[in-house]
Amino acid sequence: MQLSIALPGVARGDLNVSLREDLLTVHGSRRSPQPESAASLHDRPVPERYELQFHLHPDLDSHAINAQLEHGVLTLVLSLIHISEPTRRS
């Protein structure tokens, strides 16, 4: 499963991804607000702080989460838990 989160202006050092039990939390902040004169693609202001929380499904492997921040987008890749099926004997 892949989850992409837009975090414009958030640097790697200002981002924290944590997992406690099944609760995945993403904290991020921008160091300097966008200048008043900067052109915006949206009518809404860009937030200076972010906090997002997600409850992970039990079938997701909480020990195998890959996170990458690139061009203001945080991408989290989560894998399913692989449960081996019992071998059948004849």
Side-chain angles (χ1 to χ4, degrees):
M1 179 179 110
Q2 181 172 316
L3 176 65
S4 296
I5 305 166
L7 300 169
V10 176
R12 190 177 315 268
D14 297 322
L15 179 65
N16 182 28
V17 179
S18 62
L19 179 66
R20 179 174 232 168
E21 295 180 15
D22 70 336
L23 185 64
L24 179 70
T25 304
V26 177
H27 290 276
S29 61
R30 294 187 306 133
R31 288 190 183 239
S32 59
Q34 190 173 6
E36 295 286 331
S37 62
S40 176
L41 298 176
H42 307 285
D43 293 335
R44 308 181 296 263
V46 177
E48 292 184 33
R49 298 183 63 181
Y50 300 90
E51 180 177 322
L52 303 163
Q53 293 184 321
F54 305 93
H55 285 280
L56 298 182
H57 191 277
D59 290 345
L60 293 173
D61 187 353
S62 62
H63 300 289
I65 298 174
N66 183 14
Q68 183 176 2
L69 180 65
E70 192 171 309
H71 305 292
V73 177
L74 174 65
T75 302
L76 300 169
V77 179
L78 302 113
S79 300
L80 290 173
I81 295 174
H82 295 287
I83 301 173
S84 55
E85 295 183 26
T87 52
R88 295 183 185 182
R89 295 183 184 203
S90 305

